[in-house]
Amino acid sequence: MNNGLHKILVTGASRGIGHEIALDLKKQGHIVLGTATSDTGKDSLLNEGMVGFKLDLNSSDSIEAFLKDLNDNHSDISILINNAGVTLLDSVLSTDIEDWYKVLATNLSAPFMIAKNLAPKMIEQRSGKIVNISSLASEYALENHIAYSVSKSGLNMMTKAMTAEWTRYNIQVNSVCPTVVMTSMGELAWGDPEKSAPMLAKIPLGRFGQPTEIADLVLFLSSNASDFICGQSIF
């Protein structure tokens, strides 16, 4: 990567892990573009000094319109943080096919489409970084997480496939795979003490993660300090 400040895109930047990442990158002086699922989220990003977009990652039309806007007005993005994600909790037998498609569209297809759109400029510049926010659930199966786990496992393989093709152009692609992080989505899945206790027992620290702890690793992977790290899924 070139030294200095960058234009960075963070999906799902209005809350949770993405919000912490976006704020920390802005504090470093970078120009941060963030997406949100609502007008309220978009406005909050604008009020915090970022460039905000409303984006439905489950809609190919919404993504295509968003990518056209990027190509027309922000073609110089050099770092992409694919953070936005969704989970729908259900068993294998009870998972509705529409829910399955929604999770995979948001967690896997959308990151692919956005990275594919931004990569040609990074290749031209011979410089770029892509950080995909995955999950420990990509490696360890959990009950009622079938669609989520499959989508995140696919995201890790996408990281490796992009690395195989793009590292030669000095583009580093890596995944971050946290355990449970207590965002609103974490509360949805693990807020019930009866569910959280067995999971906490598996975590050596005996607690869930905080968004800032994930953001610290993302900042490292977005910096020149990580120029020799590529194709990794960091758990």
Side-chain angles (χ1 to χ4, degrees), residues 11-194:
T11 65
S14 64
R15 56 187 179 180
I17 295 172
H19 191 225
E20 190 69 36
I21 293 169
L23 287 177
D24 286 356
L25 289 168
K26 184 178 180 299
K27 289 176 184 176
Q28 292 187 341
H30 299 291
I31 298 172
V32 178
L33 290 68
T35 74
T37 57
S38 66
D39 288 321
T40 300
K42 171 186 173 181
D43 291 342
S44 70
L45 294 173
L46 294 172
N47 291 336
E48 290 172 320
M50 293 176 254
V51 182
F53 298 88
K54 182 181 178 181
L55 175 61
D56 179 3
L57 291 174
N58 190 40
S59 165
S60 58
D61 290 341
S62 178
I63 294 174
E64 288 174 4
F66 168 69
L67 295 179
K68 183 180 185 305
D69 193 346
L70 292 187
N71 292 336
D72 291 344
N73 301 298
H74 302 283
S75 62
D76 53 343
I77 293 171
S78 54
I79 299 174
L80 166 63
I81 314 298
N82 274 318
N83 164 79
V86 65
T87 186
L88 295 171
L89 304 179
D90 224 332
S91 69
V92 176
L93 293 178
S94 299
T95 295
D96 182 82
I97 191 62
E98 294 302 322
D99 289 342
W100 170 271
Y101 286 141
K102 178 179 180 180
V103 173
L104 265 66
T106 301
N107 294 0
L108 185 57
S109 297
F112 168 74
M113 292 174 67
I114 296 171
K116 182 176 181 288
N117 183 82
L118 297 181
K121 188 65 175 182
M122 295 181 185
I123 290 171
E124 178 186 329
Q125 296 174 339
R126 294 297 193 271
S127 179
K129 289 185 182 289
I130 299 173
V131 182
N132 298 313
I133 305 302
S134 183
S135 170
L136 194 69
S138 65
E139 184 75 11
Y140 299 97
L142 301 170
E143 289 187 24
N144 301 321
H145 281 71
I146 177 68
Y148 182 78
S149 291
V150 169
S151 70
K152 294 301 188 180
S153 182
L155 193 63
N156 289 353
M157 183 51 70
M158 188 181 82
T159 292
K160 294 179 181 180
M162 289 178 174
T163 293
E165 296 189 18
W166 296 343
T167 301
R168 71 197 70 172
Y169 303 111
N170 192 32
I171 299 171
Q172 293 85 45
V173 188
N174 292 286
S175 290
V176 175
C177 307
T179 185
V180 176
V181 179
M182 291 317 291
T183 62
S184 57
M185 191 163 70
E187 287 283 354
L188 174 67
W190 303 103
D192 183 349
E194 289 189 8

